[in-house]
Amino acid sequence: MAEVLVVDDDLTVREVVVSYLRAAGHHVQEAGNGEDALRSMRGRGADLVVLDLMLPGVDGLEVCRRLRESTDVPVIMLTALGAETDRLVGLRLGADDYVTKPFSPRELALRVDSVLRRVGQRHPKGATVTDGDLVVEPAEHSAVLAGTALPLTVREFDLLHFLVANPRRVWSRDALLREVWGWSFGDQSTVTVHVRRLREKVETDPRRPTRLLTVWGVGYRWEPR
């Protein structure tokens, strides 16, 4: 059971989503705009946020950006069909997943459960993984590079931990969606965006990566020090 904040200005959509999530056993809060969502997070907080991008006033992208300044709470975006640019921007800002409108409430509830399971693995079993000046500690869900803690979202940490623990092997985007995201299907651009964000945090020069490498036409691999 988790505390979920549903943010959508469409009352009908919000009621349906809230109903499904409560039926799944979650406690659910509601917000109809960005300001109320941020106010709720500053007060009661939540374990996960379902966030519509098209909000009056402070839009969903800005809400996501502000959340990422102070928390790594998982965010599932609700985006309009064909709004690929907003979806990619949201992923770059640190959103963990997205569902495209119109959507099945049951699918959204399953996505919520999937992301929450990932969050529940913040303390997984497993030994510390070290690669030169990079230390990835699964028990603490932390990564330290050259003595500095990396500000990683849940998905970024999962991706980093998986790649460092499986060095030199080339992973396709489909394979990473399965192994890291736990998806049997999905938009492969999700992986591309997270790789780009991860490079910005672990590479000295993200434009000339030496650790998280692209194998053109195949996928990505981690090159150990």
Side-chain angles (χ1 to χ4, degrees):
M1 185 179 295
E3 190 80 24
V4 181
L5 172 61
V6 176
V7 188
D8 198 308
D9 63 322
D10 187 322
L11 179 59
T12 300
V13 171
R14 204 165 68 237
E15 288 178 342
V16 171
V17 171
V18 168
S19 175
Y20 267 80
L21 292 179
R22 284 178 176 159
H26 302 301
H27 292 299
V28 186
Q29 307 171 50
E30 301 178 50
N33 59 66
E35 288 290 358
D36 286 349
L38 292 169
R39 191 176 300 112
S40 182
M41 287 300 295
R42 288 192 296 267
R44 186 173 174 180
D47 299 311
L48 182 143
V49 179
V50 175
L51 178 63
D52 183 29
L53 294 190
M54 300 297 291
L55 296 173
V58 180
D59 67 19
L61 292 175
E62 179 62 16
V63 171
C64 187
R65 187 188 68 77
R66 293 189 193 180
L67 288 177
R68 281 294 166 261
E69 291 177 348
S70 58
T71 179
D72 64 351
V73 62
V75 175
I76 297 179
M77 302 181 301
L78 301 180
T79 70
L81 183 64
E84 181 178 8
T85 300
D86 286 345
R87 184 164 65 245
L88 293 179
V89 171
L91 291 171
R92 292 189 188 102
L93 289 173
D96 297 272
D97 200 352
Y98 69 89
V99 175
T100 302
K101 291 184 175 182
F103 60 86
S104 158
R106 183 172 182 274
E107 178 193 354
L108 176 59
L110 291 173
R111 290 291 183 96
V112 167
D113 288 342
S114 175
V115 172
L116 286 171
R117 280 196 299 273
R118 292 282 176 180
V119 176
Q121 293 169 0
R122 290 188 180 195
H123 301 284
K125 296 180 180 178
T128 300
V129 181
T130 302
D131 177 31
D133 57 354
L134 175 65
V135 180
V136 183
E137 177 53 77
E140 299 177 359
H141 202 267
S142 66
V144 177
L145 178 62
T148 301
L150 296 177
L152 301 175
T153 66
V154 173
R155 292 293 193 188
E156 289 167 359
F157 179 85
D158 290 344
L159 179 60
L160 177 64
H161 181 229
F162 180 80
L163 291 171
V164 177
N166 296 277
R168 295 193 175 91
R169 177 172 174 177
V170 180
W171 299 92
S172 68
R173 291 188 294 175
D174 272 343
L176 290 173
L177 279 176
R178 290 194 305 273
E179 299 294 335
V180 179
W181 273 256
W183 298 356
S184 58
F185 63 93
D187 188 343
Q188 294 183 359
S189 64
T190 299
V191 176
T192 305
V193 170
H194 280 77
V195 166
R196 185 181 304 121
R197 286 178 54 84
L198 195 53
R199 279 178 176 153
E200 292 171 355
K201 299 177 181 181
V202 302
E203 298 284 3
T204 302
D205 183 354
R207 295 170 299 178
R208 298 178 178 83
T210 60
R211 308 183 93 150
L212 210 178
L213 306 180
T214 298
V215 180
W216 295 106
V218 184
Y220 304 100
R221 70 180 173 89
W222 185 267
E223 182 62 30
R225 292 293 169 88

